[in-house]
Amino acid sequence: MEHITLSFPATRTLSGKALSGVVGSGDMEVLFTAAEGDALTVDITTSVDNSEQRWQALFGRLAALGSLPAGQMLIHDFGATPGVARIRIEQVFEEVSHA
């Protein structure tokens, strides 16, 4: 298991909390708590060693396509593909934006 902590500039503020996915399904779980501030902090626990560069690239693409919200994100990954990871992350952002 690998633990990764990343931080990205946030350009929008939301409120609330959201959960997407279930790690027990062999997939991944994403928990997001919105907060005031100018950063999105991401704590990742993954079964895939040496994956920090992959996570950096994924969040780089998300930031390039839209704005990242300020807050704290916890990701419990059990080897999800980058496509599934992106869907789960976008799901929590979508849920919180409608809260």
Side-chain angles (χ1 to χ4, degrees), residues 3-8 12 14 16-20 28-35 39-45 55 58-59 62 67-76 85-94 96:
H3 183 81
I4 303 165
T5 300
L6 305 171
S7 185
F8 302 94
R12 64 183 170 137
L14 300 173
K17 296 179 180 185
L19 165 68
S20 179
M28 68 180 278
E29 172 183 71
V30 178
L31 298 96
F32 175 71
T33 303
L40 170 63
T41 302
V42 183
D43 288 314
I44 304 162
T45 301
W55 287 104
L58 174 62
F59 279 95
L62 288 171
S67 57
L68 295 176
Q72 174 72 31
M73 180 175 284
L74 299 174
I75 297 176
H76 301 112
R86 180 175 173 179
I87 288 168
R88 295 286 181 245
I89 293 164
E90 288 176 338
Q91 285 173 332
V92 294
F93 290 159
E94 180 76 17
V96 171

Side-chain angles (χ1 to χ4, degrees), residues 1-2 22-29 44-49 51 54-55 75-86 88:
M1 297 297 276
E2 182 176 16
V22 179
V23 74
S25 69
D27 192 36
M28 68 180 278
E29 172 183 71
I44 304 162
T45 301
T46 180
S47 63
V48 181
D49 291 334
S51 63
R54 179 176 65 103
W55 287 104
I75 297 176
H76 301 112
D77 173 40
F78 194 65
T81 65
V84 169
R86 180 175 173 179
R88 295 286 181 245

